Every structure is written in C-alpha cells, then in structure tokens.
Amino acid sequence: MENLNDIKAPTIVLVRPQLGENIGMCARAMLNCGVTDLRIVSPRDGWPSDSAVSASAGALDVIDNAQIFETIEDAIADLDYVIATTARLRGMTKPIFNTIESSNKIKQETVNGNKCGIMFGPERTGLENDDIYFANAVLNIPLNPNYSSLNLAQAVLLVCFSWLNSDNHFEVNHEMPELANKDDINHFVNRLESELDNSGFFKSAEQRPTTLMNLKNFFFRISPTKQEVQTLHGVVKALVAKK
Amino acid sequence: MENLNDIKAPTIVLVRPQLGENIGMCARAMLNCGVTDLRIVSPRDGWPSDSAVSASAGALDVIDNAQIFETIEDAIADLDYVIATTARLRGMTKPIFNTIESSNKIKQETVNGNKCGIMFGPERTGLENDDIYFANAVLNIPLNPNYSSLNLAQAVLLVCFSWLNSDNHFEVNHEMPELANKDDINHFVNRLESELDNSGFFKSAEQRPTTLMNLKNFFFRISPTKQEVQTLHGVVKALVAKK
C-alpha cells in the first residue's frame, strides 16, 4: 500500500461523540486505513475511556495519542482545509463532495502542503450548522437514499477507506501561496465580530446569530491565503480607524 | 443514486457465519448500499435469529428474505460469476481483485446478463480453500497491511459501498454467449470426479484431495459458456466410452 507512506493521512475530528465504545471503533476503522491522528471535541462520557480502549481492538496507537479539545476552534486550529461530514444538506453555502471527490480534494490539498481534517458529528444528531461553518466543504456519503443511517464508526470507515483507495496522482502546485490555517481565520473572524458589534452592524439581537453564522461560514469556506487574511485585518483596521 | 435502479446488485453469500448479531449488521450494511439479496450457508447459531433481527436496525427486507443453504454449491447454483473475499492470499490460481476492480468486474458481468455474487467467510477464520475454489476470482480488500483485521459487517460494508459508488459506464457485449452458471459447472465437475475415480486417475488417496481441488478450482474460475460446458460433457462421455 504505497500511498500509506506517500501522502499524509487527514486528521479525524470527532465532535461531541457520546459513547466511548464508538470512539474505540472509530480508532479501529482509522487504523485499518492507515489514518492515525484522532482529535476529540468534548466527549460526553469523558476521557480517557476504558470502553474506547476495549472497543478499539488493539488500535492503541490511535487511542493513546488522541487529543482532547473543548471546542472545534481549538481542535482544528492548525489545520488548513477541513471537510464536515453530514447526512443532511441544509442550505449551507459550501461545496458538497461525495467520498471520492472528498478524498481527491484532500490528497490534492495535502500534496500542496496543507494540513487536512475531516469532522464527524455526534452519533444521534450529526454535526450542527454551528459546527459545519468551520469547514471548507461538506461531505455527503452516497448511500441508499431510503436507508442511509450509518453508525459513527461505519461512517469513519467509509471515509478513511475512500481516502486510502483514492487516486494518488496529483501535481504539486508550486505557485500556490500558503493557506491561512483555521486559527488564523478564527482570529480574524473574532476580530471582525467584535468590530461589527462596536459599529452597530447587527440590526437586532434576534438577527445577530444568523448574520454572524453566514459571515463565519463564508470566511471558513473560502480558503484564503495567509497573506489575504493579513490584508483583511488591514481592511478592518482601516475601516474602523476611519470612523 | 441512479445506479440503484440501473444495475442489479450482487448477491451476498455469508459462509458459516457464527453470530446472528453479525448477520444482522451485515444486512444493515447491505441495505445502506442498496444490496438486498442475502444468502447464508450453515449459520452456526441457526436461523431465524432474534439477535440478527435486532442488530439489523430495521433492515428487515434483507433479513426476512434471506435464504439459508447447507452448502456453497446450493447457495450459488444459479449464479454465473462469484468472487470470494479473503484476507489471506494462499496460492489460489484465481485473479486477485481489489475493491474497485471487483466492483467494476461485477458491474460488467451484470450488464452482460450474468448473475453475480460475493462470498464472505466465517468471522474468525475467513473462507477456506475448499470454499474459494467455487469462485471465479478473489477479492482482497486493500487496507493498512500492519492492521488489516475487519469485522464481518465492516468487510460487507466496504465491498457493497465500493460496488454502489463504482463506475456505471459499461458496454453491453451482445456477442458474449450465455455463461454456464455455478450449478452447470458443479454438475460437470462432479461427473468428471466420478469418471476420474472410475478410471484410476488419482494415484493415491493422499494426493486425491489436492489434485481434485486444483481441478475444481480451474473449472469454477474460467467462466465457461453453457455451450462450452455441454462440449466438455461430450468430451468426458467420449473419452469414457472409448476405453
């Protein structure tokens, strides 16, 4: 399996998983496909987890090195390109990929030097819109439309397997400047939010969350370069100073 | 998912599965991918199975219509092209496919009017050589070579998902005569075995099983047409009569 060594595997981010057992089964599915970087956001039943260890069927390299975070922002701070897995497609302004497109995009970004991640939501509900806006794109796993419910570890298995077995022939784009990582974007978006609050941008308290979400969704999706984010900071600074 | 209607899904054959729960999870994985024809050879814990029903997560169309057989020969009698899933590759003279090649081959055969099936072995041991020789080809699921153990339902999920998401663009070969099904081949092989016994073909009792397995392996692999099997019967008949 030459691609295990050729191309760095994406990070898997489990957002608010409920059962330790499911986390363990995800670790097993990841390792089956040579994917080892696991990050967990607010696991409901705590961490470390004995049931995760026993369900991992020996995938301890993944379990023992898993990192725990309180928020998605922290979990994906150093990543440059993030895909959110979701069963429901609800008016998010993001590209929608199937598993093959998603795997190819991740390999292309990785070859270009970008760190990639794939987010999965909690067992019952999946990712919320408030989670998805941190992503560049949405992954919808193509299944029987009349019977599409997968458990968490099966979803992770299909996505990691698709990555492992997808095409490996991507050209490095040497012209492509370095992308801003999610932490860069988060800093900018938080600054923008605070400046917009100060400037009376939000017409009403009811409208504020939706407008803000649309704005964040936009900036997390568009893959700006580091330089472009610097420019955007300059723009905000200039606009604020002018008032 | 246009291909659910376009191309008939392969039959899934579980050979000597142990736990009803695993059969239920296989049924769920199948239905997730629009695959519904389940056949079970000698389930260890019997059938019907309450634990299969409860583990199937509502995939009752698959469970309720599952057919039970005592032998592989009976389970695949009406099939024309069969692939055996195995983790170990042990000197079987068969083409070895990965999941993508296997899915493409099955769609090509299906488009040509042939009924296809995929066999999976028992949880602990997988398929034995005595099972594999009924197949035309072997499927080896490409995984992390250092950590490749999958549970049965995960293997079924990956194979069915690969089928669902594989290419659909195959040309019908109108020149291709009808293939013999596995029952045709089984009848011929059994006749040949009996004639070989009568003719003193087998040099020793110890050597007989290996030689016979190699012969069966050959005839089940080569996808002869119905006409060719008729011709082979004629050959055997003629040779025997001449003695």
Side-chain angles (χ1 to χ4, degrees):
Chain A
M1 195 107 323
E2 67 282 14
N3 42 9
L4 280 185
N5 301 316
D6 288 356
I7 296 196
K8 193 168 169 11
T11 293
I12 299 298
V13 183
L14 302 181
V15 178
R16 302 183 302 279
Q18 300 177 308
L19 295 173
E21 183 188 355
N22 289 335
I23 301 172
M25 288 168 65
C26 288
R28 177 182 182 180
M30 288 170 60
L31 194 56
N32 277 148
C33 304
V35 177
T36 55
D37 185 22
L38 173 61
R39 304 180 186 184
I40 311 173
V41 177
S42 296
R44 186 192 68 183
D45 292 349
W47 197 262
S49 159
D50 288 343
S51 55
V53 169
S54 63
S56 75
L60 295 180
D61 278 357
V62 178
I63 291 288
D64 291 345
N65 295 314
Q67 300 173 71
I68 308 298
F69 298 89
E70 284 200 11
T71 65
I72 293 181
E73 293 92 312
D74 292 341
I76 66 173
D78 64 324
L79 302 182
D80 303 301
Y81 191 89
V82 173
I83 294 179
T85 306
T86 176
R88 290 166 294 174
L89 301 172
R90 291 154 302 189
M92 269 284 162
T93 316
K94 309 268 186 193
I96 298 168
F97 293 146
N98 64 29
T99 25
I100 294 169
E101 293 162 340
S102 168
S103 301
N104 289 344
K105 179 67 176 167
I106 281 177
K107 286 202 174 158
Q108 177 68 75
E109 292 294 335
T110 307
V111 164
N112 282 338
N114 294 315
K115 291 182 72 171
C116 298
I118 308 170
M119 300 199 292
F120 295 83
E123 290 89 332
R124 279 177 177 276
T125 57
L127 292 169
E128 305 291 336
N129 281 357
D130 284 358
D131 307 318
I132 294 172
Y133 67 57
F134 292 108
N136 296 75
V138 164
L139 164 57
N140 185 242
I141 303 176
L143 292 168
N144 178 353
N146 300 317
Y147 187 82
S148 60
S149 109
L150 282 180
N151 73 36
L152 181 57
Q154 286 173 317
V156 168
L157 179 67
L158 291 181
V159 169
C160 291
F161 185 76
S162 292
W163 171 80
L164 178 64
N165 287 284
S166 65
D167 201 353
N168 273 340
H169 304 290
F170 292 98
E171 293 297 315
V172 180
N173 181 352
H174 293 289
E175 306 299 315
M176 186 67 196
E178 189 181 1
L179 293 189
N181 67 25
K182 295 303 182 187
D183 202 34
D184 299 330
I185 296 171
N186 205 40
H187 277 292
F188 172 73
V189 165
N190 287 341
R191 176 186 183 167
L192 182 65
E193 175 180 351
S194 132
E195 295 294 1
L196 291 176
D197 274 328
N198 293 341
S199 68
F201 170 80
F202 298 108
K203 303 295 187 220
S204 70
E206 295 77 41
Q207 186 209 31
R208 187 180 182 282
T210 305
T211 308
L212 193 58
M213 197 175 77
N214 288 340
L215 260 177
K216 289 190 178 184
N217 188 49
F218 169 73
F219 284 108
F220 277 103
R221 184 191 78 230
I222 57 173
S223 304
T225 65
K226 277 193 185 293
Q227 182 56 55
E228 288 162 347
V229 171
Q230 284 310 310
T231 305
L232 289 171
H233 274 289
V235 167
V236 171
K237 188 176 175 185
L239 293 177
V240 169
K242 203 178 173 185
K243 280 198 304 188
Chain B
M1 197 106 323
E2 67 282 16
N3 40 9
L4 280 186
N5 302 316
D6 287 357
I7 295 194
K8 192 168 171 9
T11 293
I12 299 298
V13 183
L14 301 182
V15 178
R16 302 184 301 278
Q18 300 176 308
L19 295 173
E21 182 188 356
N22 289 336
I23 301 173
M25 289 168 65
C26 288
R28 178 183 181 181
M30 289 170 61
L31 194 54
N32 277 147
C33 304
V35 177
T36 55
D37 185 22
L38 173 61
R39 304 182 185 182
I40 311 173
V41 177
S42 297
R44 186 192 68 183
D45 293 350
W47 197 263
S49 159
D50 289 342
S51 56
V53 169
S54 63
S56 76
L60 295 181
D61 276 358
V62 177
I63 291 287
D64 291 346
N65 296 314
Q67 299 173 71
I68 307 299
F69 298 89
E70 285 200 11
T71 65
I72 293 181
E73 293 92 312
D74 291 341
I76 66 173
D78 64 326
L79 302 181
D80 303 301
Y81 192 89
V82 173
I83 294 178
T85 306
T86 175
R88 290 166 293 174
L89 301 172
R90 291 153 301 188
M92 268 284 165
T93 315
K94 308 270 187 191
I96 297 168
F97 293 146
N98 65 28
T99 25
I100 294 169
E101 293 161 340
S102 167
S103 300
N104 289 344
K105 180 66 176 168
I106 281 176
K107 285 200 175 160
Q108 178 67 73
E109 292 294 336
T110 307
V111 163
N112 283 338
N114 294 316
K115 291 182 74 171
C116 297
I118 307 171
M119 299 199 293
F120 295 82
E123 290 90 331
R124 279 177 178 277
T125 56
L127 292 169
E128 304 292 336
N129 281 357
D130 284 357
D131 307 319
I132 294 173
Y133 67 56
F134 292 107
N136 296 75
V138 164
L139 163 58
N140 185 241
I141 302 176
L143 292 168
N144 178 353
N146 300 318
Y147 188 83
S148 60
S149 109
L150 283 180
N151 71 37
L152 181 58
Q154 287 173 316
V156 169
L157 179 66
L158 291 181
V159 169
C160 290
F161 186 76
S162 292
W163 171 81
L164 179 64
N165 287 284
S166 64
D167 201 353
N168 273 340
H169 305 290
F170 292 98
E171 293 297 314
V172 181
N173 182 351
H174 293 288
E175 307 299 314
M176 186 66 196
E178 189 182 0
L179 293 189
N181 67 26
K182 295 303 182 187
D183 201 35
D184 298 331
I185 296 170
N186 205 41
H187 277 292
F188 172 73
V189 164
N190 287 340
R191 176 186 184 170
L192 182 64
E193 177 181 348
S194 132
E195 295 294 359
L196 291 175
D197 274 328
N198 292 341
S199 68
F201 170 80
F202 299 107
K203 305 292 188 221
S204 71
E206 295 76 41
Q207 186 208 33
R208 187 180 183 282
T210 305
T211 307
L212 194 57
M213 198 177 76
N214 288 340
L215 260 178
K216 289 189 178 184
N217 188 49
F218 169 75
F219 284 108
F220 277 104
R221 185 190 79 229
I222 56 172
S223 303
T225 64
K226 275 193 185 293
Q227 181 56 54
E228 287 162 348
V229 172
Q230 283 311 309
T231 305
L232 289 171
H233 274 290
V235 166
V236 171
K237 187 176 176 185
L239 293 177
V240 169
K242 202 177 175 188
K243 281 198 305 191

